[in-house]
């Protein structure tokens, strides 16, 4: 009996030691880097060659190709076990034709929808980090399909890979402290309609609880300005509402991705006014801190020649990882980032 007790004690001691070693090993793992590594050029390409294919007919708002696109996104989230904040099998935030047609200057459009998926925070579930991109493009014009691989197929598939990485972490017990909403918005090409509907009409979560919006719109190509140094991305708006978000973004990039962060279009006097031209703006106007990730325009911008074979997938991989790392840091900070510049504006009014 004494021998049996001794053996049992030895086994228990070894198990305890093994558990401590595993715990120590886990503490030494950079989980952000581990899950960012699952975002790969190959997977991004596999998604984009489907999403920006002729089958999706240019994803024009409310048209059959756009309906195929939203089903593709929904099916991905279902397959990954990433739930909808709407509950059950409903991943579509309906954007009614009546509302769309009141908010467009030209054309008449059918009912459309935003696609939404959600990972609940482990400690601060009521604080929401949004990662957004627009799912639509120009459709078919004069018999030619405008595939929109860069605009904004690149941002769309980037969100899918980011969502998958966060879900892998969550399944391993490393879920984000704050909740993350993956928001694919419709009607951007018609006037930022999907994000406007979310922000102005039907925010699924209170904007007051929204920590930031990281918006990805065109991140798969190189513009003429950077042909000699393609390791870049334009950042717009990172410092306009939150000094802390801007500094965090800089720090994360230096630690993990080492991309040249170009702020040319962040200039208040930028004649292109890109700050006002993508979906982040509907959050920024409500004092939600934002970052807009953008590669600039190129010869295929808004042309049928914006096809998936022209995407630089290695660049897309690293830019996507930058967004993931930024979201990871924002979602896991002990304290919510402060929108200090938004508060300052309020005080001066």
């Amino acid at each position: 009996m004494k021998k049996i007790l001794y053996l049992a004690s030895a086994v228990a001691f070894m198990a305890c030691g093994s558990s401590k070693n595993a715990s120590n090993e886990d503490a030494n793992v950079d989980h952000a880097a581990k899950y960012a590594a699952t975002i790969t050029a190959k997977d991004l390409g596999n998604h984009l060659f489907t999403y920006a294919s002729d089958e999706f007919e240019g994803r024009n708002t409310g048209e059959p190709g756009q309906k195929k696109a939203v089903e593709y996104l929904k099916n991905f989230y279902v397959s990954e076990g990433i739930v909808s904040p709407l509950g059950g099998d409903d991943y579509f935030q309906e954007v009614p034709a009546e509302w769309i047609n009141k908010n467009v200057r030209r054309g008449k459009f059918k009912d459309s929808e935003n696609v939404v998926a959600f990972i609940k925070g482990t400690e601060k579930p009521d604080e929401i980090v949004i990662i957004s991109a627009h799912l639509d493009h120009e459709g078919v014009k004069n018999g030619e399909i405008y595939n929109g691989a860069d605009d904004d197929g690149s941002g769309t598939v980037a969100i899918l890979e980011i969502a998958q990485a966060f879900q892998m972490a969550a399944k391993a017990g490393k879920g984000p402290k704050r909740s993350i909403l993956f928001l694919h918005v419709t009607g951007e090409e018609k006037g930022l309609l999907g994000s406007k509907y979310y922000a102005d009409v039907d925010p699924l979560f209170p904007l007051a609880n929204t920590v930031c919006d990281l918006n990805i719109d065109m991140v798969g190509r190189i513009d003429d300005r950077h042909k000699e140094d393609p390791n870049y991305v334009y950042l717009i708006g990172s410092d306009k509402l939150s000094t802390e978000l801007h500094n965090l973004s800089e720090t994360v990039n230096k630690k993990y991705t080492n991309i040249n962060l170009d702020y040319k279009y962040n200039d208040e006097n930028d004649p292109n006014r890109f700050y006002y031209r993508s979906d982040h703006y509907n959050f920024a106007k409500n004092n939600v801190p934002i970052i807009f990730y953008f590669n600039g325009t190129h010869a295929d911008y808004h042309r049928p020649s914006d096809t998936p074979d022209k995407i630089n997938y290695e660049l897309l991989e690293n830019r996507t990882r930058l967004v993931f790392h930024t979201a990871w840091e924002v979602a896991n900070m002990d304290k919510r980032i402060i929108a200090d510049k938004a508060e300052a504006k309020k005080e001066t009014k």
Side-chain angles (χ1 to χ4, degrees):
M1 177 63 103
K2 286 182 180 179
K3 183 179 284 189
I4 292 172
L5 288 173
Y6 174 80
L7 288 171
S9 297
V11 169
F13 176 79
M14 290 172 65
C16 182
S18 176
S19 176
K20 285 182 179 178
N21 288 337
S23 178
N24 289 336
E25 287 176 12
D26 187 64
N28 292 326
V29 171
D30 185 334
H31 291 102
K34 176 180 177 179
Y35 294 108
T38 68
I39 297 169
T40 66
K42 180 180 178 181
D43 288 344
L44 289 160
N46 287 340
H47 281 302
L48 194 52
F49 270 90
T50 298
Y51 194 77
S53 68
D54 287 355
E55 178 188 355
F56 288 73
E57 301 172 327
R59 310 186 301 278
N60 194 16
T61 302
E63 295 301 317
Q66 186 250 289
K67 302 298 182 180
K68 290 179 182 178
V70 297
E71 287 295 335
Y72 182 87
L73 300 176
K74 172 185 173 178
N75 290 339
F76 171 81
Y77 287 116
V78 170
S79 70
E80 293 294 323
I82 301 172
V83 301
S84 166
L86 300 172
D89 194 41
D90 183 7
Y91 285 75
F92 300 154
Q93 180 187 37
E94 304 298 334
V95 183
E98 181 181 7
W99 183 88
I100 292 173
N101 291 316
K102 285 180 181 177
N103 286 273
V104 292
R105 292 182 180 178
R106 60 183 71 174
K108 194 168 180 64
F109 299 95
K110 302 170 186 174
D111 292 337
S112 191
E113 50 278 304
N114 296 328
V115 179
V116 289
F118 185 70
I119 294 177
K120 187 175 181 180
T122 57
E123 296 182 19
K124 303 173 187 290
D126 294 333
E127 295 184 12
I128 313 297
V129 177
I130 295 179
I131 306 175
S132 64
H134 70 90
L135 61 87
D136 64 306
H137 195 54
E138 294 283 317
V140 181
K141 298 179 180 180
N142 301 317
E144 291 190 282
I145 297 173
Y146 286 61
N147 300 97
D150 192 28
D151 186 13
D152 185 27
S154 61
T156 300
V157 302
I159 290 186
L160 299 184
E161 282 292 288
I162 291 168
Q164 184 183 58
F166 270 110
Q167 179 70 343
M168 288 180 181
K171 285 182 176 179
K174 305 298 177 184
K177 293 179 181 178
R178 293 174 179 82
S179 297
I180 301 182
L181 177 68
F182 305 102
L183 176 62
H184 302 265
V185 291
T186 190
E188 189 269 356
E189 302 289 2
K190 307 299 184 280
L192 316 185
L193 296 180
S195 56
K196 180 179 175 65
Y197 187 83
Y198 180 96
D200 293 0
V201 180
D202 185 25
L204 302 183
F205 302 94
L207 294 183
N209 291 2
T210 303
V211 177
C212 70
D213 171 49
L214 305 179
N215 184 51
I216 318 168
D217 192 352
M218 298 175 59
V219 286
R221 295 284 296 271
I222 303 164
D223 69 359
D224 289 342
R225 190 164 175 262
H226 293 89
K227 283 186 176 178
E228 301 303 317
D229 182 18
N231 182 36
Y232 79 99
V233 69
Y234 292 108
L235 259 60
I236 301 171
S238 62
D239 64 346
K240 293 196 184 299
L241 295 169
S242 173
T243 304
E244 192 172 6
L245 178 61
H246 175 79
N247 292 342
L248 179 151
S249 167
E250 286 273 346
T251 300
V252 162
N253 178 56
K254 287 175 183 174
K255 182 176 181 180
Y256 292 108
T257 46
N258 291 309
I259 298 171
N260 171 23
L261 304 182
D262 192 328
Y263 295 101
K264 173 181 171 61
Y265 296 126
N266 194 50
D267 188 331
E268 292 286 348
N269 298 313
D270 169 33
N272 297 283
R273 293 175 60 81
F274 286 125
Y275 178 66
Y276 305 94
R277 288 173 53 185
S278 191
D279 294 295
H280 60 276
Y281 182 68
N282 283 312
F283 294 96
K285 73 183 186 185
N286 286 290
N287 290 323
V288 175
I290 64 92
I291 302 178
F292 171 24
Y293 301 86
F294 179 51
N295 54 219
T297 59
H298 43 74
D300 300 308
Y301 174 64
H302 277 203
R303 296 178 63 84
S305 49
D306 181 8
T307 50
D309 56 298
K310 295 180 180 178
I311 298 294
N312 185 317
Y313 289 96
E314 286 71 29
L315 280 181
L316 177 56
E317 174 188 283
N318 205 29
R319 290 165 174 170
T320 303
R321 289 181 179 182
L322 171 62
V323 182
F324 170 81
H325 279 296
T326 305
W328 180 281
E329 292 298 321
V330 172
N332 287 297
M333 292 172 64
D334 289 334
K335 293 183 179 180
R336 172 177 172 169
I337 60 166
I338 300 168
D340 58 314
K341 294 187 178 180
E343 293 301 321
K345 286 179 182 178
K346 289 179 186 177
E347 291 173 6
T348 58
K349 286 184 178 180

